[in-house]
Amino acid sequence: MTDRRLLRVLNGERVDPVPVWMMRQAGRHLPEYREVRAKARDFLDFCYSPSLAAEATLQPVRRYGMDGAILFADILLILDAMGRNVRFLEGEGPRVDPATKASELAQVPIEKILARLAPVGETVERVRASLDDSTTLIGFAGSPWTVGVYAIEGRGGTDKADSRKFGYSHPEELDGMLEQLVEASAHYLLMQANAGADALMLFESWAEGLPEDAFERWVIGPTARLVQRVRALGVKQPIIGFPRGAGGLVLDYAERTGVNAVGLDTAIPLKRIAASLPKGMPVQGNLDPMRLIAGGPGMEARVREIITALKGRPHIFNLGHGVTPETPIPHVESVLRTIRSMT
């Protein structure tokens, strides 16, 4: 196998220049993405079409020479496979048939869930076969709490108040829902690992705003059980956890969930947090995507500051959230030049 620099970092090694990939690197900021997206009937059709999803996954690697390719899919595919009628409305985002009982997430057996998600496995196989051996392929799933929020509220773009109230009022029911998501997601991640993913990532997109006790019960506990279940199924690949908006609770997350590496969002104070994280734990993040839009010397200086702040540990350069559609391609190229000029 050719040297996979990003995978080496996930296994605990410091590599310079630091490897780089960007969340949502496959997306509407690329004209080639917009061309392939137009071939799909809708967004779900896009995600379930292996030839199209594989092409979208590969595009930013071809254009930028990224060290990592992130599977093109969506965290809500698991709910779609669990029978919650996921659909994406133009200009409004995702909609899901709400569920407020564990039994509603247990109606579809694991075998049928995996059959529905089989095209994702094929996408992974196609991408791994097409990638240069030096590029790490990252599979992913949404973390149980984040996917559970969508299940409870039926949509994104909320303040998650309904989900928090539900959890406080019906704690055992929410626990049961999260356990259903743990089991289904573990098998989904196993499928991706068996199909050729070199690493896996858990997106906890709605970690913000939770008090410590709720964060413990709804984020740390289910994530730890998901990691344990994935390992029990025989998956050896390193796992990145990204608890966006967790603030100082990211330390508890890193120490107690069992993830191998942690993603740091835009608001994380790098020097303080990096000094407190478990020794030798790999990190990725936390450039502000708005910096990427603005570009210029300020952006380049911030790139250097982030790399310097994390000099003492394994580090993968990334954003604190995803690439936005209005991001200029030359600005991404400038970030890559800046990173690759540092040793």
Side-chain angles (χ1 to χ4, degrees):
M1 180 189 296
T2 304
D3 179 22
R4 292 183 187 164
R5 302 170 66 254
L6 192 154
L7 194 57
R8 285 167 54 197
V9 173
L10 291 177
N11 287 322
E13 184 179 344
R14 173 74 192 195
V15 175
D16 289 297
V18 297
V20 56
W21 70 279
M22 296 182 182
M23 290 180 283
R24 292 185 186 163
Q25 64 188 22
R28 287 178 290 166
H29 86 289
L30 295 177
E32 57 266 39
Y33 170 90
R34 296 192 294 270
E35 288 179 12
V36 72
R37 171 67 180 84
K39 298 177 181 178
R41 181 177 64 253
D42 54 34
F43 187 70
L44 269 186
D45 180 57
F46 193 6
C47 292
Y48 284 131
S49 299
S51 62
L52 300 182
E55 173 61 20
T57 303
L58 292 164
Q59 285 173 348
V61 178
R62 290 196 203 104
R63 178 180 280 274
Y64 298 122
M66 296 290 189
D67 295 290
I70 180 75
L71 169 68
F72 185 84
D74 191 272
I75 63 171
L76 296 185
L77 296 187
I78 191 74
L79 283 181
D80 181 65
M82 296 174 84
R84 303 319 303 167
N85 186 30
V86 175
R87 60 269 185 206
F88 290 82
L89 305 182
E90 194 67 35
E92 297 183 30
R95 294 290 186 273
V96 178
D97 286 355
T100 54
K101 295 182 183 299
S103 60
E104 293 176 299
L105 296 183
Q107 294 175 349
V108 181
I110 289 293
E111 295 76 16
K112 289 190 175 180
I113 291 173
L114 294 178
R116 173 64 169 158
L117 295 171
V120 179
E122 183 181 338
T123 298
V124 174
E125 291 174 352
R126 285 173 177 249
V127 173
R128 184 64 271 168
S130 299
L131 279 176
D132 185 283
D133 279 346
S134 65
T135 307
T136 298
L137 174 56
I138 305 166
F140 73 90
S143 291
W145 163 249
T146 290
V147 178
V149 168
Y150 280 103
I152 292 165
E153 305 201 4
R155 60 186 297 166
T158 71
D159 62 0
K160 279 69 74 181
D162 288 345
S163 298
R164 300 201 307 275
K165 286 185 289 186
F166 177 80
Y168 296 141
S169 302
H170 307 281
E172 290 79 15
E173 198 65 64
L174 179 55
D175 288 346
M177 293 176 67
L178 296 178
E179 286 309 301
Q180 291 295 328
L181 290 167
V182 165
E183 185 66 12
S185 299
H187 284 275
Y188 181 36
L189 291 167
L190 171 64
M191 180 186 75
Q192 295 180 43
N194 287 342
D198 302 300
L200 301 167
M201 185 161 173
L202 301 177
F203 283 92
E204 191 71 271
S205 304
W206 302 137
E208 79 272 22
L210 293 178
E212 191 172 5
D213 60 335
F215 190 88
E216 164 72 29
R217 184 162 184 166
W218 303 337
V219 174
I220 290 179
T223 301
R225 290 191 291 276
L226 176 54
V227 172
Q228 290 164 5
R229 185 69 177 115
V230 168
R231 296 304 184 209
L233 289 172
V235 174
K236 306 296 185 185
Q237 285 88 331
I239 298 173
I240 309 165
F242 179 48
R244 187 174 71 90
L249 293 172
V250 71
L251 298 175
D252 291 330
Y253 180 97
E255 291 171 357
R256 297 172 52 207
T257 58
V259 298
N260 303 97
V262 65
L264 305 178
D265 64 46
T266 298
I268 291 293
L270 284 185
K271 291 181 181 178
R272 283 206 302 268
I273 293 295
S276 303
L277 284 168
K279 184 175 175 60
M281 175 172 249
V283 296
Q284 71 174 28
N286 73 331
L287 183 70
D288 188 348
M290 299 304 105
R291 279 275 194 195
L292 197 58
I293 294 174
M299 177 191 72
E300 295 167 4
R302 182 57 184 162
V303 169
R304 290 189 287 269
E305 287 171 3
I306 291 170
I307 293 174
T308 300
L310 297 172
K311 191 71 176 176
R313 66 170 58 243
H315 175 209
I316 297 163
F317 196 91
N318 209 312
L319 307 181
H321 200 205
V323 178
T324 59
E326 61 268 38
T327 300
I329 287 172
H331 294 183
V332 178
E333 294 170 338
S334 178
V335 167
L336 296 173
R337 282 195 303 272
T338 302
I339 294 168
R340 290 163 180 166
S341 70
M342 299 182 68
T343 56

